[in-house]
Structure formats: structure tokens, C-alpha cells
Amino acid sequence: MSRRKGSCLCGALRYEIEWELEGELDGVWLCHCSNCRKASGGTGNAIVIVPRERFFWVSGEDHRVTYELRPTYSITRCKTCGTPLPAEEDETNVYLTAGTLDDPIGVGIKTHIFCGSRADWDHDMDGVRRFDERSS
Ligand SMILES: [Zn+2]
Ligand SMILES: [Zn+2]
């Protein structure tokens, strides 16, 4: 079992997850619900579900701010840089924001949820222009 690192944009918050072999955990989930679209400002949230006992704060755990937005929806961000952070939403799992991972995890997107709430501009990437960096 190896540890994979993650952090927020400013580096105040750092965490690690214990990650075994590819396929052991359930890949990346993309949530397209309207709450996640608003909270991320993009297509939604990219989440990795990690068992609580495999998630470890390294620094900055007290540097988080949580917004309770709906009875069943809250977001947690870094106080300094606003990065959306892993949310500890239930007793069993941590819902880790995949974009905060610094290390590769060896598994890709496996699941899309709330596809019925997808924005009309959020469609499959087949046939869409792609660039390794910003286009000129
Ligand atoms: Zn930060
Ligand atoms: Zn969502």
C-alpha cells in the first residue's frame, strides 16, 4: 500500500490517502448536479470516495471553512485560497475532490452521476478541439 498526496492551491492544507492497487477503489466520479456545478463553477465536481480510515490530514485541518448550503449539501474550502476540499460527509467515507490530488492514482473516471442535470454545454468531448496547454 502506498500513500498519495493532495493539497490546496496555496499549500496550507495537505492530506494523504492510502491507495492500493488500481481498481481497488471505485475510480473518479463526476457529479453534474446543479449544486456541484455552482459550487465548482464548472461542469461539476470530480470526486474520489475514500474509506475514512485511509484518509489522513497532514497539515491545515483547522484552516478549513465549511458552508452549509442546503440540508443535504455543504462545501468545504481552504480559508486562504478557496480550493474545494475533501468533505467528510459521512461516518464511512471521505469525498475527496479529485483535482486536489498531487500524485497520480492510476485510475480514471468510472462514473457520471446526475447526468440529467448536466448543463447543455457540458457534453462528451469526442470531436472537441483539444490542446496540451492553453490554445494560442
Ligand atoms: Zn489553500
Ligand atoms: Zn453533485
Side-chain angles (χ1 to χ4, degrees), residues 30-37 43-45 47 73 113-114:
L30 292 187
C31 182
H32 301 274
C33 82
S34 58
N35 289 336
C36 286
R37 277 193 284 121
T43 58
N45 279 317
I47 299 295
Y73 196 88
I113 59 173
F114 285 94

Side-chain angles (χ1 to χ4, degrees), residues 1-127:
M1 191 167 326
S2 62
R3 290 219 174 179
R4 311 295 167 102
K5 294 181 169 68
S7 60
C8 66
L9 186 58
C10 76
L13 284 122
R14 298 187 183 280
Y15 66 86
E16 293 180 355
I17 58 170
E18 286 181 343
W19 189 265
E20 277 193 29
L21 300 172
E22 177 180 344
E24 187 213 10
L25 298 179
D26 200 19
V28 177
W29 291 55
L30 292 187
C31 182
H32 301 274
C33 82
S34 58
N35 289 336
C36 286
R37 277 193 284 121
K38 294 284 186 187
S40 71
T43 58
N45 279 317
I47 299 295
V48 178
I49 302 171
V50 179
R52 186 173 283 276
E53 65 272 16
R54 302 263 189 102
F55 180 90
F56 308 92
W57 284 109
V58 174
S59 66
E61 188 175 2
D62 59 351
H63 201 71
R64 297 176 295 167
V65 59
T66 297
Y67 302 91
E68 303 288 346
L69 299 167
R70 309 253 195 282
T72 58
Y73 196 88
S74 65
I75 57 174
T76 302
R77 292 179 179 271
C78 171
K79 281 182 187 175
T80 300
C81 67
T83 297
L85 292 162
E88 298 170 41
E89 290 186 27
D90 62 37
E91 293 177 3
T92 308
N93 296 307
V94 172
Y95 296 80
L96 190 159
T97 42
T100 61
L101 282 162
D102 295 314
D103 293 329
I105 55 173
V107 65
I109 297 164
K110 284 195 173 176
T111 310
H112 289 265
I113 59 173
F114 285 94
C115 291
S117 301
R118 225 167 168 181
D120 70 345
W121 49 265
D122 175 18
H123 51 76
D124 295 329
M125 289 180 64
D126 291 346

